[in-house]
Amino acid sequence: MSNRLLPFLKSAAAMNKSTLDLQETFRRLTYDLVCQIGFSYDLQYLLPSLPPTPFADAYETALKISMGRYTTLPFIWKVKKKFNTKSQKRLKHVVDEIQEFMGKRIKEKKEKLVNNRKWIDDHDDLFDRIMKRGQDKLQLGEAYYVDAAINFILAGQDTLCSALTWFFWLVSTNPSVEIEIVKEIKEKDDWREMVYTHASICESMRLYPPVPVEGKQAAEDDVWPDGTKVKKGMRVCFHILAMGRSEELWGSNWADFRPERWLDKSVETGEWRFIARDPFTYPVFLAGPRTCLGKQVAFIQMKMVASTILKHFRVIPSMEDFVPSYHSSVTSKMKNGFPVKILERF
Ligand code: HEM
C-alpha cells in the first residue's frame, strides 16, 4: 500500500484538478495485489505511467468470450467452436497467452520447490503453501496448478475491484459515513478493530454485491422446504443483488446506505459492535460448503485499501451529480468507470 497505492494517489492529487478513473485504478491495484498474494509476482500495473496491462487484457477477453456462452443457446457456440470462428480463434489465442504466463510462474515455483527447500520455507505465498502441501501432485505436471492459479485470479481480482469501486462511490456520497470511517481509522491501527469500516463494507456489498447472480446445478433430485421440486441436472439461479434489496429481508429502508444496520453501540463505552447476518440472508460470499475461500483475505485487503486512501485523501466524484451506470457481467461494474478527483486530506 505505502509504496504503490500511496505514491500513485499522491501523484494524482498533485495534478490538482485532473480526473482519475477510480475503477481502472482498482483494476490495476487488484491485479497487483492478487498476484502478490498468490505468487509473489509483481505485475507493476499500478504505476503513474499507467503501463499496458497485457495479462489483464487477455484475461478479460477470455472471460468475455466464454461468458457469452451463457447468453446464447449451447448449439450456437458449439457450432462457432466447430467452425473456429473469429471469436473462437481469439479465445484460443488469449487462453494460450494466459496459460503461458501462469505456466512460467508455476514452473519457477516448482523448480525452486524441488531444488531449494530453504527458498520455499522463506517465501510463503499462497501457491508456495498449496504446492508444498500437494508435493505428490507435482508429478501431475504444471497444468493442475496453472488451472488453480487462473481460478484464483478469477475469484479474487475482479470481485475485490468491484467491491472497492462501489464502496468508494457510496462513501463519497454519504458524508456522515465518511466522517465516521475517517474517525475510526485515525483512532485504530489494527484492521480487526475497524468495526464501523467493516460494517460499511458489508453494507456497500449488500447494495452492490461483487457477484450479483449465482447459479448451481442440482447433483440429485431434491425437494425444498417450501415444496419446490428440483430435478437432478436442473440449474438454479439466485439473485444476490435482488436479495440485498429485498424489503422482506432488510426492511422498508433497504434502499438506504446505512452501516448502522450492522451495528450496535455500547451504552457504557460508546464502542461499535458488529452484528453479523446469516450467510443465507446475505450470500455475498455464498453460504454452505462452497463459501468463498478468500472471504477473510478480501475483508483485510478492503480495509487496508480503504484506510490507506481515506486517511490521506478525499475521493470526490468529478461530476457533481454523478450517478454510476450499473453494468452486470460476471461482477457488478460501473459502465463508464468512476471519474474522481483526489485531494490530500489535511
Ligand atoms: C469482495 C470480494 C469477494 C467476493 C464478494 C467473493 C465472492 C465469492 C463467491 C460468491 C464465491 C462462490 C463462487 C461459486 O461457487 O460459484 C467465491 C468463491 C471463491 N473465492 Fe471469493 N470473493 C471475494 C474475494 C476473494 C478473494 C480476494 C479470494 C482470494 C484471495 C477469493 C477466493 C475464492 C475462491 C478460491 C473461491 C472458490 C471456492 C470453491 O471453489 O468452492 N475470493 N467467492
Side-chain angles (χ1 to χ4, degrees):
M1 298 293 153
S2 54
N3 53 20
R4 184 67 49 88
L5 180 61
L6 271 184
F8 182 86
L9 293 177
K10 264 191 199 311
S11 80
M15 286 190 265
N16 221 340
K17 293 202 170 77
S18 70
T19 293
L20 176 85
D21 178 357
L22 198 63
Q23 182 167 255
E24 172 61 16
T25 303
F26 287 145
R27 171 179 173 264
R28 289 170 179 272
L29 173 72
T30 49
Y31 271 105
D32 284 357
L33 276 177
V34 169
C35 284
Q36 275 292 351
I37 298 169
F39 329 102
S40 311
Y41 185 80
D42 191 357
L43 279 168
Q44 302 197 46
Y45 280 173
L46 189 67
L47 299 178
S49 61
L50 298 178
T53 55
F55 173 70
D57 298 343
Y59 211 87
E60 286 153 21
T61 304
L63 204 58
K64 195 170 164 204
I65 301 175
S66 356
M67 287 314 288
R69 292 181 175 180
Y70 286 91
T71 52
T72 49
L73 293 168
F75 83 88
I76 295 182
W77 70 257
K78 282 180 186 164
V79 169
K80 280 186 177 174
K81 193 172 174 195
K82 189 166 166 41
F83 289 99
N84 201 17
T85 59
K86 202 172 151 198
S87 67
Q88 297 306 304
K89 278 188 198 139
R90 179 96 189 102
L91 179 61
K92 184 173 176 328
H93 177 74
V94 290
V95 167
D96 287 348
E97 257 180 62
I98 297 164
Q99 286 182 333
E100 192 192 327
F101 174 87
M102 274 304 160
K104 272 191 200 150
R105 308 286 81 78
I106 297 297
K107 202 162 183 235
E108 283 160 12
K109 286 202 171 296
K110 189 176 160 186
E111 278 165 14
K112 281 173 179 149
L113 181 61
V114 171
N115 299 331
N116 187 352
R117 263 233 67 91
K118 171 97 179 61
W119 185 88
I120 212 84
D121 286 339
D122 293 346
H123 291 73
D124 246 3
D125 59 41
L126 186 80
F127 270 77
D128 290 332
R129 286 169 192 231
I130 292 176
M131 291 175 81
K132 249 193 278 183
R133 287 211 177 174
Q135 283 209 39
D136 50 326
K137 294 197 184 74
L138 285 180
Q139 295 87 307
L140 292 176
E142 274 109 47
Y144 172 88
Y145 290 106
V146 169
D147 286 349
I150 291 172
N151 191 35
F152 168 75
I153 293 187
L154 179 68
Q157 179 275 326
D158 213 11
T159 45
L160 267 183
C161 174
S162 164
L164 285 166
T165 307
W166 291 102
F167 171 80
F168 272 89
W169 175 63
L170 285 167
V171 170
S172 68
T173 47
N174 286 273
S176 60
V177 174
E178 181 172 353
I179 289 170
E180 196 66 38
I181 294 179
V182 171
K183 183 170 160 250
E184 181 173 80
I185 58 183
K186 283 190 172 161
E187 280 170 12
K188 312 217 185 278
D189 286 332
D190 185 345
W191 54 264
R192 275 166 296 221
E193 291 174 15
M194 295 178 187
V195 178
Y196 190 89
T197 309
H198 190 91
S200 310
I201 293 169
C202 291
E203 179 69 347
S204 85
M205 291 193 295
R206 175 181 70 80
L207 289 165
Y208 295 98
V211 182
V213 185
E214 254 291 345
K216 292 279 171 264
Q217 193 161 12
E220 303 290 341
D221 287 354
D222 196 11
V223 181
W224 287 352
D226 70 348
T228 306
K229 288 187 179 131
V230 180
K231 290 267 169 221
K232 179 177 173 176
M234 272 172 86
R235 286 190 191 168
V236 179
C237 280
F238 49 102
H239 209 292
I240 303 172
L241 184 134
M243 286 177 72
R245 290 152 185 253
S246 149
E247 185 163 347
E248 194 185 333
L249 296 177
W250 301 96
S252 57
N253 65 358
W254 63 265
D256 300 345
F257 176 59
R258 271 191 77 239
E260 290 77 11
R261 75 174 81 238
W262 298 82
L263 296 164
D264 189 22
K265 201 169 204 172
S266 158
V267 185
E268 293 104 57
T269 61
E271 293 276 315
W272 292 112
R273 193 173 63 90
F274 182 74
I275 309 161
R277 296 290 290 253
D278 84 86
F280 292 91
T281 305
Y282 179 76
V284 164
F285 293 95
L286 224 63
R290 293 297 298 271
T291 299
C292 170
L293 296 175
K295 185 175 170 184
Q296 301 309 329
V297 177
F299 272 111
I300 296 171
Q301 296 297 327
M302 283 188 279
K303 283 191 217 171
M304 280 167 64
V305 174
S307 55
T308 304
I309 296 181
L310 291 170
K311 202 182 240 177
H312 297 93
F313 304 100
R314 288 171 60 214
V315 175
I316 301 180
S318 43
M319 286 161 271
E320 216 169 276
D321 325 317
F322 174 75
V323 179
S325 170
Y326 180 86
H327 171 70
S328 160
S329 55
V330 186
T331 54
S332 299
K333 292 230 158 54
M334 287 192 193
K335 196 169 176 192
N336 300 311
F338 180 20
V340 298
K341 291 191 193 317
I342 303 290
L343 305 181
E344 298 253 12
R345 192 185 288 280
F346 295 106

